[in-house]
Amino acid sequence: MTQIYRDSFRFFRDAFPVLLLMGTVLECFIWYFQPSAEGASTAVALFFLAYLFHRHFLFGEKLHLGRPETAPAAPPHKFGWFFAASVALLIAPMAIAIPLAISLSDGFSDLGLLAIFLALYLLSLSMFGTVLPASVARDGTWRLSLGLRGTGVTMLRLLLGPAVAGLILLVVFGFSENWLLSEGFQPDGMAFLASFILARTFGFLTTILAVAVLCQSYRDLRPHPDTPPA
């Protein structure tokens, strides 16, 4: 299991310049335009980046600037099904989290809602997340029931990898923000922009870890591992 995480860190290291550029572009976009819904305004770019991560762990394609490469044994790039599945895996936990948070109290805090959503999202990824690599590989042999068989193992891998990494990064960058404020830096200054860029860039690591876990679970559960994807 540790090989999954070693491969993830190696990929993050090798792709760091591209990831830093992506983090810079996204954070500068948010910084300049200040959209009312930050997540929605960057969702397509983030989903497409996750799609490229999947292609790396499934087919060995490298992440680089310019036109995405296609490995010899890989199917052509088709983003549509992956995007639809990714959106469904996000919307379903949120659709449950909001009514549940409201029913548990008169109101709900952002932190409480986030905790409920993350727990439900973890469950959603553990049960159905292998649909994502299957949609990238366009595997006609894949069935949803196969992914459900590996729910426990996938959840454990997600907890030990992206969940732990995300918690550590949250603490580190939370302390960094507080330190910048204590030193008198302005929240709308360049020091904060730089910290947001670094937080965004290192945040990609949690996505990479999650993708590596899902791709490994997909490979473990494939009914015919020696048969190339459709």
Side-chain angles (χ1 to χ4, degrees), residues 3 37 55 72 81 84 92 101 104 117 128 143-144 149 166 188 222:
Q3 186 63 43
R55 291 188 68 94
W81 283 112
L104 291 176
F117 168 73
F128 309 113
R143 298 293 179 269
L144 187 61
R149 295 177 192 172
D188 58 351
R222 259 189 104 224

Side-chain angles (χ1 to χ4, degrees), residues 211-224:
V211 169
V213 165
L214 295 179
C215 288
Q216 185 59 52
S217 293
Y218 164 73
R219 282 193 294 265
D220 291 345
L221 294 164
R222 259 189 104 224
H224 305 294

Side-chain angles (χ1 to χ4, degrees), residues 11-26:
F11 174 59
F12 178 75
R13 179 199 65 199
D14 294 343
F16 187 80
V18 178
L19 297 174
L20 179 60
L21 178 61
M22 285 294 301
T24 302
V25 170
L26 291 174

Side-chain angles (χ1 to χ4, degrees), residues 2-18:
T2 58
Q3 186 63 43
I4 300 173
Y5 310 133
R6 286 198 295 267
D7 291 343
S8 299
F9 280 101
R10 187 180 304 113
F11 174 59
F12 178 75
R13 179 199 65 199
D14 294 343
F16 187 80
V18 178

Side-chain angles (χ1 to χ4, degrees), residues 36-60:
S36 56
E38 293 182 8
S41 64
T42 58
V44 174
L46 294 175
F47 283 141
F48 186 70
L49 198 56
Y51 174 81
L52 296 180
F53 294 164
H54 277 80
R55 291 188 68 94
H56 168 77
F57 286 104
L58 289 172
F59 311 118

Side-chain angles (χ1 to χ4, degrees), residues 147-170:
L148 291 173
R149 295 177 192 172
T151 297
V153 173
T154 302
M155 181 178 291
L156 178 62
R157 289 169 171 172
L158 289 172
L159 284 171
L160 294 178
V164 171
L167 181 59
I168 292 172
L169 291 172
L170 184 64

